[in-house]
Amino acid sequence: GNLALVHFQLGAGEDAERYNREALKLFEAVGDKAGVARCWKLASMMHTVAGRKEEAEKALAAYAELVKQRGSKQELAQLSMLLGLHYEDAGQVDKASAAY
């Protein structure tokens, strides 16, 4: 997971996505819901940056489901921010404003 984040920050998208997929599989295998949520959050950001809106929406939906189950206020705030960014990028200003 950390390798995915580092590669994403360095602009190495393909490597970041590969490491993120690997981390997601590992977190799912051991039942680490927080780790799975982090992977979906990063996936949504990577897809958004790459201009893949549909994939970003799917990743955001998976992230949102986990965040709502967990009920963490910090994660809910991060979800709101990511939804706002996603809607803003899509030109949906009203939805972005509501999410923020």
Side-chain angles (χ1 to χ4, degrees), residues 16-82:
E17 289 181 32
R18 184 183 78 241
Y19 284 122
N20 198 51
R21 284 190 302 272
E22 291 173 9
L24 179 61
K25 287 178 188 176
L26 292 171
F27 285 132
E28 287 175 334
V30 298
D32 183 343
K33 291 184 180 182
V36 171
R38 284 192 307 272
C39 288
W40 282 120
K41 178 174 66 173
L42 182 56
S44 74
M45 293 174 1
M46 288 189 289
H47 290 310
T48 297
V49 167
R52 297 185 299 259
K53 292 182 186 353
E54 288 183 30
E55 290 90 346
E57 287 179 12
K58 290 176 187 176
L60 274 170
Y63 178 56
E65 183 178 324
L66 287 168
V67 166
K68 289 175 183 174
Q69 287 175 6
R70 294 171 45 79
S72 162
K73 289 183 180 182
Q74 179 182 0
E75 288 178 319
L76 288 168
Q78 290 176 4
L79 172 61
S80 294
M81 182 196 68
L82 287 174

Side-chain angles (χ1 to χ4, degrees), residues 4-12 16:
L5 184 58
V6 168
H7 280 83
F8 176 62
Q9 290 174 335
L10 293 173

